[in-house]
Amino acid sequence: MDVDMHNGPGQIGVSYRDLQLAENSQKGSPSVVSRLPTEILAEIFRYCVPESGNFAPEPHVAPMLLTRVCRRWREIAVDMPDLWCRLRLEDAYYNWQQRAFCYDLCLKRSQGRQLTLTLECHGDDWAELQCLLQPYIDQISVLSLGYLWGNIPNGGASLEVTDFRALKELFIYTNGFNDIWGVMPTVSSLPPNLRSIKVKHMWFYPYGLLQCFDHITWAHLTDLEIKIDSLNSFRLLRRVPNLSSLTVSGRFTMRENLEAFTHANLRSLRISGHLKLHDMENPGLFTNVTLPNLHAVEVRNIGQWLHEEFKEFLIRSECPLESLIFGSGVVMTNQQHELAEYATLLPSLNSVVVDPMRSEFYFD
């Protein structure tokens, strides 16, 4: 079967030759494709949609294109709910009624299956998208929200996700807008089953961050990725006792005299700083915390590495650390000696990586 690429990586459509073959089969010239069993065609259809990520329903790419080839293909594609469960929906400035009709059609074809959706708002009002999703709200398990209109004033429009009762993973991103106050209604009150939240291109300032974490629903999170400003990253661990994975990017310039505490569930910790090396201050990241279940650590862009402080933290935690990664912007006084000490101190350690190519502010 010939295939053509359409509109970006991973989006595969049916070629013009296949359209001709299907059309010929309708006119009495049976082709090899037309004689394939339904089960084989269904498997081919699955390879015609992106392997990962969400896709916009467009008439010239799969799965929408599959419904336009012939009646048989349409019947098969429409009755395959797994083709319609990963969608990107946009609240664009034009053709909303036409888009809404197409979106609703695709959502119906999911036949009650769990949905993975990307919603992108190019204006300042989520009402149309939220109204469209209302009949399917209990199907949505993974949701990405794109705030794409730029900076908005304090109290601007935001999508509230409290009623998304089946939601387990939430990802928020912007195209430059970076004020957490604009999306406070989204992140301050979360649905009870949500376990993972990732926010990129948006600063959490101390007051706003702690205001979010005061809500009881944050306590259920197991995976958190955020960008913070002037806050000891471990301060927030007190508010999320079930957290198993924490990724923090930001400016760690405010050292606080926190009381010693233990977080029993954290397994993975990734930290990326923001300032130039000569401006870095010691934020005391590992001074007062104990993490007895920690298995993996990655640090980058934090300046002078405090070997003795980290070593004391490891001794205090008695954690089964297996992976330790140092990216770009981590300055060791005596790298060979320090790495050797970690290997001696941690029998569980089976991977130590020093990779200056790991230099991005955000983690993948």
Side-chain angles (χ1 to χ4, degrees), residues 222 242-246 263-270 291-297 319-323:
T222 58
N242 294 309
L243 204 65
S244 63
S245 175
L246 174 63
H263 193 289
N265 295 312
L266 195 69
R267 296 174 58 90
S268 173
L269 175 64
R270 301 191 298 176
L291 305 175
N293 201 31
L294 192 64
H295 284 67
V297 173
C319 56
L321 195 68
E322 299 173 353
S323 173

Side-chain angles (χ1 to χ4, degrees), residues 144-210:
S144 298
L145 300 179
Y147 290 79
L148 304 181
W149 66 88
N151 288 302
I152 62 173
N154 185 15
S158 183
L159 178 68
E160 297 187 25
V161 297
T162 311
D163 294 333
F164 289 60
R165 292 173 289 272
L167 190 62
K168 297 178 181 178
E169 299 178 28
L170 175 64
F171 175 48
I172 302 174
Y173 60 95
T174 75
N175 62 345
F177 157 60
N178 60 4
D179 188 350
I180 188 58
W181 298 110
V183 296
M184 188 64 76
T186 299
V187 299
S188 61
S189 183
L190 304 175
N193 292 317
L194 188 70
R195 294 297 177 265
S196 174
I197 182 169
K198 299 180 181 181
V199 183
K200 285 193 174 181
H201 309 128
M202 195 175 304
W203 288 99
F204 279 80
Y205 298 98
Y207 176 74
L209 178 66
L210 296 180

Side-chain angles (χ1 to χ4, degrees), residues 98-109:
Q98 181 179 345
R99 286 173 176 269
F101 177 81
C102 178
Y103 293 161
D104 187 58
L105 190 64
C106 293
L107 291 166
K108 281 185 171 70
R109 290 172 179 172

Side-chain angles (χ1 to χ4, degrees), residues 5 46 76 86 90 93 127 158 160 230 243 302 322 347 359:
M5 300 299 293
R46 292 187 178 95
I76 295 172
R86 294 185 292 110
E90 299 180 47
Y93 296 111
S158 183
E160 297 187 25
S230 301
L243 204 65
I302 63 170
E322 299 173 353
S359 59

